[in-house]
Amino acid sequence: MAPHGDGSDAAEEAAVVEAEKRPISTIVILIAMQTEALPLVDRFQLIEDRESLFPKGVPWVRYHGTYKHLNVNLIWPGKDPSFGVDSVGTISASLVTYASIQALQPDLIINAGTAGGFKAKGASISDVFLASEVAFHDRRIPIPVFDLYGVGLRQAFSTPNLVRELSLKVGKLSTGDSLDMSQQDEASIIANDATIKDMEGAAVAYVADILKVPAIFVKAVTDIVDGDKPTAEEFLQNLAAVTAALDQTVSQVVEFLSRKCLSDL
């Protein structure tokens, strides 16, 4: 181990700065649901891997292709082998994020998907947000320091120029493994000052942070959590239309990335 003060920290920081000045080459788009993923697969004419990069037996699916000079990889966790539904939630998200980074070494991760929004924080159906920070709302560990670990607050990669060019809304994202919201979850979400809630973002952020890969979070609102309609009903009712809004915005993000370095975002 290098001793403190020998310049190793400065060298590491310089390497990071230099990396951020290089054009973005490889991106990974992580999307939990097939309905959300397929419009982007079609738009960018991505091809499904026939020989998976991932361990044998996992349901994860990689679509890949090239847009301008970008290597675009869209990863969908696939259908649960036992239940045949999309593998949503934090466990699948963290596993797929780790495996994707190991296999593809991306310059940037985009976690895209739908989310619930809070009208009290200015969210409306079909709004698309870029998350400024992400945290968990269902990991309650009421022990000093463990409580902070449970919340797991992390900053998303800063993209002021992207926000400005695409006129994106910005808000804090709170993540949990349930579609509905219990009273305890609600209290935690309020404490997180969240505008939107999902089931994957903070898990992606956790892995990306450990492996030092920049990550951004693009979330489109399907349901108003503090509204008067049942969450599941409103989610299903709006999913198709909101997925179209998500597709358009993520496409604009990819176009923007094709012209920029990380330091220009």
Side-chain angles (χ1 to χ4, degrees), residues 48-62 75-82 87 91-92 95-96 99-100:
E48 182 178 345
D49 261 351
R50 294 305 175 189
E51 295 185 9
S52 178
L53 298 172
F54 302 129
K56 183 178 180 180
V58 301
W60 313 332
V61 180
R62 172 190 176 228
I75 313 296
W76 167 53
K79 300 284 188 181
D80 180 88
S82 297
S87 301
I91 295 175
S92 289
L95 287 169
V96 168
S100 298

Side-chain angles (χ1 to χ4, degrees), residues 10-37:
E12 184 176 334
E13 290 178 7
V16 171
V17 170
E18 185 62 31
E20 290 187 354
K21 290 181 179 179
R22 293 196 299 267
I24 298 168
S25 174
T26 299
I27 62 172
V28 164
I29 305 171
L30 298 170
I31 300 186
M33 298 186 69
Q34 188 177 39
T35 301
E36 301 163 344

Side-chain angles (χ1 to χ4, degrees), residues 4-217:
H4 292 296
D6 69 344
S8 59
D9 289 345
E12 184 176 334
E13 290 178 7
V16 171
V17 170
E18 185 62 31
E20 290 187 354
K21 290 181 179 179
R22 293 196 299 267
I24 298 168
S25 174
T26 299
I27 62 172
V28 164
I29 305 171
L30 298 170
I31 300 186
M33 298 186 69
Q34 188 177 39
T35 301
E36 301 163 344
L38 290 182
L40 286 166
V41 171
D42 293 339
R43 182 183 289 267
F44 290 108
Q45 299 181 354
L46 304 179
I47 299 170
E48 182 178 345
D49 261 351
R50 294 305 175 189
E51 295 185 9
S52 178
L53 298 172
F54 302 129
K56 183 178 180 180
V58 301
W60 313 332
V61 180
R62 172 190 176 228
Y63 300 94
H64 62 96
T66 303
Y67 178 74
K68 297 187 176 180
H69 71 276
L70 281 179
N71 297 315
V72 179
N73 302 273
L74 189 152
I75 313 296
W76 167 53
K79 300 284 188 181
D80 180 88
S82 297
F83 299 99
V85 296
D86 289 294
S87 301
V88 301
T90 60
I91 295 175
S92 289
S94 58
L95 287 169
V96 168
T97 302
Y98 178 82
S100 298
I101 292 174
Q102 293 296 99
L104 298 165
Q105 298 295 305
D107 299 302
L108 181 73
I109 289 172
I110 303 171
N111 175 218
T114 54
F118 293 85
K119 64 180 180 181
K121 302 290 288 184
S124 301
I125 299 296
S126 293
D127 280 349
V128 182
F129 283 86
L130 199 67
S132 55
E133 61 184 42
V134 297
F136 293 98
H137 58 253
D138 61 352
R139 302 201 314 177
R140 293 175 288 275
I141 314 173
I143 302 171
V145 185
F146 279 96
D147 55 352
L148 300 177
Y149 164 78
V151 173
L153 176 65
R154 285 174 171 82
Q155 302 294 319
F157 188 73
S158 179
T159 57
N161 295 325
L162 174 63
V163 170
R164 188 180 309 111
E165 179 157 322
L166 300 188
S167 300
L168 292 173
K169 290 191 171 185
V170 176
K172 297 177 182 179
L173 172 64
S174 195
T175 297
D177 270 308
S178 297
L179 182 65
D180 64 2
M181 183 175 66
S182 69
Q183 290 184 342
Q184 287 178 307
D185 286 350
E186 182 178 13
S188 297
I189 290 168
I190 291 172
N192 288 342
D193 191 29
T195 300
I196 45 178
K197 66 179 281 286
D198 79 341
M199 297 175 65
E200 288 84 23
V204 173
Y206 169 75
V207 178
D209 184 45
I210 287 178
L211 299 180
K212 305 305 178 190
V213 179
I216 63 175
F217 304 84

